[in-house]
Amino acid sequence: MSIIIYSPPFNTAFVKVVTPFKPLLTSNNKLINKSTDEKSTLYAISFDLQQAFPRVWRHYICQKLHQIGLRGNIPKLLQSFLSNRTITVRIHDKLSSHRNINNGVSQGEVWSVPLFLLAINDITKCVSFPLTPRLFTDDYSISLQSLNPRRAAPLLQLTLEKISTWSSDRGYRFSSGKMALVIFREHHRQVSPPPPLLLQGFTINILTTYKFLGLTLHHKLYWIPHIKLLKAKCINSLNVLKYLRKLLLQLIKVSSAPNWITDPRYTTNHTNPP
């Protein structure tokens, strides 16, 4: 498996002894804290791919396998894994006819995630200094540290145009409702927002918080939004456990109660139950 996966240094997905929290710690400690220490502003944009796995072009995966130097039977095996796939829809006891799947990799298969990583790793090449990319499977974000919003906006827009070209050439689409620009700064500093940033024809929304790999980051470096969200999830899980416990106790009580119809103590003498 490690032979066919080539991961750039910005992609930490499925790397040995690397957890999802490594890019989080890198983002939080090295980038956000550095910008606050230097009295500058950090502009971070998070991306969301629409139907990432079904939109992968199979011929592009085969090209990447050839580019990384795979020869012999392994590329043939992977090409066989990608080809001749069909889909069938079942409603009750009725089955539709088989339809061929021309693109995408199936989710849940052993080879699907490595092949998807091989196809998406090139997105990091769209970002150059002074911007920093972060990629974990299909969770992608870029950031820029700057003191001048007028200088930051052209650099961000130029990078967005490169990412838009990359995605259009490979059949990917971004979700306009889930993308966000967050401007990290110290709580007492006022920063004017940059001009509208465009990607694939839509404007990226400026939000105060955004979620990356399960961690909610606030633009003023507060942990309150993340703690509130975590508390709500814990309360919801506890309520479910309480309900299941109550239901289980009721089932135990019913199963341990005597049966007034079959119990001989009450059917022989025709007495009423106590």
Side-chain angles (χ1 to χ4, degrees), residues 190-217:
Q190 298 295 330
V191 178
S192 59
L197 300 175
L198 302 177
L199 177 67
Q200 292 183 341
F202 60 85
T203 303
I204 299 178
N205 298 323
I206 300 178
L207 303 179
T208 57
T209 60
Y210 89 104
K211 195 173 183 180
F212 185 67
L213 292 180
L215 185 63
T216 303
L217 302 175

Side-chain angles (χ1 to χ4, degrees), residues 58 76-87 98-104:
R58 295 177 180 175
K76 295 180 181 179
L77 175 65
L78 296 176
Q79 188 174 4
S80 175
F81 168 77
L82 294 172
S83 60
N84 299 325
R85 287 189 169 270
T86 60
I87 186 173
H98 293 274
R99 300 290 182 179
N100 293 326
I101 302 177
N102 298 322
N103 283 319

Side-chain angles (χ1 to χ4, degrees), residues 9-10 22 54 76 78 84-85 96 123 134 140 164-165 188 198 212 227 234 255 259 267:
F10 303 109
K22 180 177 179 179
K76 295 180 181 179
L78 296 176
N84 299 325
R85 287 189 169 270
S96 67
I123 194 174
R134 291 183 299 278
Y140 184 53
S164 178
T165 302
H188 61 274
L198 302 177
F212 185 67
I227 295 175
C234 292
S255 61
N259 192 327
T267 57

